[in-house]
Every structure is written in structure tokens, then in C-alpha cells.
Amino acid sequence: KQEVTQIPAALSVPEGENLVLNCSFTDSAIYNLQWFRQDPGKGLTSLLLIQSSQREQTSGRLNASLDKSSGRSTLYIAASQPGDSATYLCAVRFGSSNTGKLIFGQGTTLQVKP
Amino acid sequence: EAGVAQSPRYKIIEKRQSVAFWCNPISGHATLYWYQQILGQGPKLLIQFQNNGVVDDSQLPKDRFSAERLKGVDSTLKIQPAKLEDSAVYLCASSLRRAGNAGGANVLTFGAGSRLTVL
């Protein structure tokens, strides 16, 4: 069964800390992996997408890595700010094409304290 | 570029009543998705359309849920009759992927969601 797991479910850090969010998936045959941000009462905003042939992607203070062989991805947030407080969701598109089902993890809720 | 529009944003109904949600995807996006997100969980795919045809509805509870995509543009998701466990946010998303386009990332853009409370 294709599953995506995110640990921890919740994380609280002081402002300025660097932090890592974890995502693991059960099947290494993936097409791509995407990290989303979700603010309370809002939809999902795409942060980073990593194709299966890539090892990492960077956008500003965010860096996402992908290790297919171990079934893991991490989202690194540098110099965290209170505005980073949100739920972060990892989604994996399994299979060999861009039509595969996008399966989400349950998310990590991040709180950055000023 | 306008985003994915959804309505209503909030709906409260009693169990056994019916409800319908509407989604207008980004113009030109061929693929449309409906996801259900229960509080504290990640979104779960209910149904995926490619233009006006169904690609995947394996997780749609067909005894009570139905969805259609008229003319390959707008879509409606209906629940009848609603149960308590249907309380969730219903997210609509769209992507640019067209049939035959084997390449590309197929990035999804989500709407703000419709929050359903069943009492």
C-alpha cells in the first residue's frame, strides 16, 4: 500500500531556529514529491516540487531534499520566523507518470514563537 | 491569473440532508480534483477528472457522493444524504496536464476549500 507519513505531527520552536520537517513514503517508485503549506482556514500553497531525478530544490529560506532509496524527504527551514507558522504537507505522486495519484501525509503543524 | 474558486466557503447541515459544492478551476486547466480533508489529516483524493471524463474515483463513496464536470470546466460535488463523518473541508484543485502530455510536473493549484459541518 502506498502511504506517506510525516513526523512529528506538531513542532514548536523559537524564532530564528533552523528546523527540519520529515516525510517518509513506502514505495521508492515515485514520479515527484511536493511540499505544501496550509494556513488555518485556507487552501494549500505549493512550496517546492522535486522530480524523481532530482536530489533537492531550494526557494529562499526553504530547502527540500529527496532520497528515493530510503523513501525520505526533508524540508529544511532556515532562520524561522513567526510568519512560517502553518501546517506543512508532503505529497507524493507515485508511479512513473504525471497521472499517478497524489497521496498526502497528515502534515506537521509548525508554531514559531516570537 | 485567477485562482481556483470554490463556493460556498462554509456550510452547516443536519445529517441526512444534502449539500453541493461548486468549483471553477484555473482557465485552461484540463485536470480537476476533489479532495476531502478531515481535521488533523492530510487531504484524500475523492475524484479526478481529465476534461469531463473521470480518471479516478476509487475513493469516492458512491452511495452518497457524486460529482460531475460540465463541459470540462466547472465541477460540482454533491453529498446526499450527509453523515456526521462527512464533516471536513472539501478542496478543489486543478492542473494543466492534458491527455497525451506525458512529461511535466503536473503541479496542482488548490482553492481555499469548502468547510462542511454535519450536525
Side-chain angles (χ1 to χ4, degrees), chain B residues 84-98:
Chain B
L84 297 177
E85 59 261 36
D86 299 332
S87 294
V89 176
Y90 292 86
L91 296 164
C92 179
S94 68
S95 67
L96 190 56
R97 186 194 174 278
R98 295 182 179 87

Side-chain angles (χ1 to χ4, degrees), chain B residues 55-69:
Chain B
V55 173
D56 185 340
D57 63 357
S58 57
Q59 298 190 95
L60 187 73
K62 298 181 184 63
D63 58 334
R64 298 183 301 105
F65 286 63
S66 65
E68 61 180 2
R69 189 178 184 194

Side-chain angles (χ1 to χ4, degrees), chain A residues 10-64:
Chain A
L11 182 63
S12 180
V13 301
E15 180 178 4
E17 267 201 12
N18 302 324
L19 60 101
V20 174
L21 306 180
N22 296 295
C23 172
S24 61
F25 44 93
T26 54
D27 186 347
S28 62
I30 71 170
Y31 186 78
N32 60 32
L33 182 147
Q34 203 165 351
W35 283 93
F36 291 87
R37 169 183 173 142
Q38 186 174 31
D39 292 285
K42 303 285 182 63
L44 280 66
T45 301
S46 180
L47 296 174
L48 291 164
L49 181 144
I50 308 178
Q51 295 285 64
S52 62
S53 58
Q54 298 173 323
R55 296 299 297 268
E56 65 177 345
Q57 283 285 335
T58 298
S59 176
R61 295 181 294 106
L62 305 180
N63 176 278

Side-chain angles (χ1 to χ4, degrees), chain A residues 31-32 38 41 98-99 101 105, chain B residues 9 37 56 97 103-106:
Chain A
Y31 186 78
N32 60 32
Q38 186 174 31
N98 62 4
T99 60
K101 187 180 298 183
Chain B
R9 288 296 314 278
Q37 186 176 24
D56 185 340
R97 186 194 174 278
N106 196 14

